[in-house]
């Protein structure tokens, strides 16, 4: 079974919305305008590209990333990696042609079937709503979190608010950086 990894830039109060400056959110761009950049704090982002073998995205994140990530040098390893987009509305005509093989999945059941295939880790970037559904279905195996020392208040959150049984996490890697960022890597205890 493949490992499904959710990776996120997250504020201390759990917000993941518009970290790179996506329009429509009051605090958009909070990862680079409010916290000093330290390259060592972002080492995990490069490692993710080397270790992942596929990307899983929700429709909204796909539509935000696909116009820009294919041409960004810092995401070069993702260009040829297979991509999967969970959407009930996208069609093949909506997919960009310069970002490698992309498959549309129509349900969380199809994501569960993808996890059962041979291959290495699948990484989920952004995709707050998709993360909620994946977590509620028990499909996330690991969280890679870069926690920013900010309280953003309103905004999309990474974690589901569904009333469910406690889900235990095991801290497997952590670090704190001079700019206040914290790296937290948790395995989900299934």
């Amino acid at each position: 079974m493949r490992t499904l990894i959710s990776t996120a830039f997250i504020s201390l109060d759990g917000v993941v919305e518009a970290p790179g400056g996506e329009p429509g959110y009051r605090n958009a761009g909070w990862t680079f305008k409010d916290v000093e950049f330290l390259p060592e704090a972002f080492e995990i982002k490069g490692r993710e590209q080397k270790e992942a073998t596929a990307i899983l995205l929700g429709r909204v994140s796909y539509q935000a990333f696909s116009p820009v990530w294919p041409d960004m040098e810092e995401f070069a390893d993702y260009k040829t990696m297979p991509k999967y987009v969970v959407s009930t509305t996208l069609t093949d005509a909506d997919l960009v042609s310069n970002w490698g093989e992309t498959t549309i999945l129509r349900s969380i059941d199809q994501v569960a079937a993808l996890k059962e295939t041979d291959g290495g880790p699948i990484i989920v970037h952004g995709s707050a709503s998709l993360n909620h559904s994946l977590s509620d279905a028990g499909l996330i195996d690991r969280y890679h979190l870069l926690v920013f020392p900010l309280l953003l208040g309103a905004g999309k959150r990474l974690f589901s608010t569904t009333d469910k049984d406690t889900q235990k996490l095991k801290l497997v890697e952590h670090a704190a950086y001079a700019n206040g960022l914290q790296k937290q890597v948790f395995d989900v205890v299934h």
Side-chain angles (χ1 to χ4, degrees), residues 64-128:
F65 298 157
S66 65
V68 292
W69 279 22
D71 297 323
M72 293 179 72
E73 189 172 317
E74 53 267 64
F75 298 115
D77 290 332
Y78 285 145
K79 188 160 185 166
T80 59
M81 195 177 294
K83 284 154 236 29
Y84 298 89
V85 182
V86 181
S87 173
T88 58
T89 58
L90 284 181
T91 67
D92 287 340
D94 297 317
L95 303 176
V96 298
S97 60
N98 64 334
W99 205 21
E101 174 192 344
T102 304
T103 303
I104 299 172
L105 304 177
R106 299 292 181 197
S107 69
I108 294 301
D109 289 339
Q110 288 186 311
V111 175
L114 174 64
K115 276 192 66 174
E116 296 293 330
T117 62
D118 290 334
I122 303 166
I123 194 124
V124 182
H125 282 278
S127 309

Side-chain angles (χ1 to χ4, degrees), residues 2-188:
R2 298 172 85 170
T3 301
L4 188 61
I5 301 168
S6 172
T7 182
F9 294 142
I10 187 168
S11 68
L12 191 58
D13 57 348
V15 175
V16 293
E17 187 167 355
E22 298 79 1
Y25 177 61
R26 173 187 175 137
N27 293 315
W30 49 270
T31 58
F32 61 87
K33 70 180 182 183
D34 293 320
V35 177
E36 175 192 3
F37 178 76
L38 292 178
E40 60 271 24
F42 296 87
E43 170 276 332
I44 193 168
K45 298 303 177 191
R47 188 171 11 131
E48 288 171 348
Q49 287 187 66
K50 300 296 183 199
E51 294 174 358
T53 60
I55 303 172
L56 180 67
L57 299 166
R59 177 191 54 82
V60 173
S61 292
Y62 177 81
Q63 289 177 319
F65 298 157
S66 65
V68 292
W69 279 22
D71 297 323
M72 293 179 72
E73 189 172 317
E74 53 267 64
F75 298 115
D77 290 332
Y78 285 145
K79 188 160 185 166
T80 59
M81 195 177 294
K83 284 154 236 29
Y84 298 89
V85 182
V86 181
S87 173
T88 58
T89 58
L90 284 181
T91 67
D92 287 340
D94 297 317
L95 303 176
V96 298
S97 60
N98 64 334
W99 205 21
E101 174 192 344
T102 304
T103 303
I104 299 172
L105 304 177
R106 299 292 181 197
S107 69
I108 294 301
D109 289 339
Q110 288 186 311
V111 175
L114 174 64
K115 276 192 66 174
E116 296 293 330
T117 62
D118 290 334
I122 303 166
I123 194 124
V124 182
H125 282 278
S127 309
S129 295
L130 177 59
N131 266 284
H132 297 175
S133 297
L134 295 170
S135 174
D136 290 348
L139 295 176
I140 296 176
D141 301 299
R142 177 173 281 181
Y143 289 96
H144 288 184
L145 306 177
L146 277 181
V147 182
F148 284 71
L150 302 169
L151 300 175
L152 298 174
K156 293 179 185 175
R157 292 185 160 20
L158 179 65
F159 300 107
S160 169
T161 58
T162 300
D163 186 12
K164 59 185 175 184
D165 291 339
T166 300
Q167 186 172 49
K168 187 171 180 180
L169 305 175
K170 178 183 178 189
L171 183 66
V172 295
E173 182 181 346
H174 62 92
Y177 302 95
N179 62 358
L181 257 69
Q182 296 176 40
K183 173 177 59 180
Q184 301 175 358
V185 177
F186 292 98
D187 280 346
V188 176

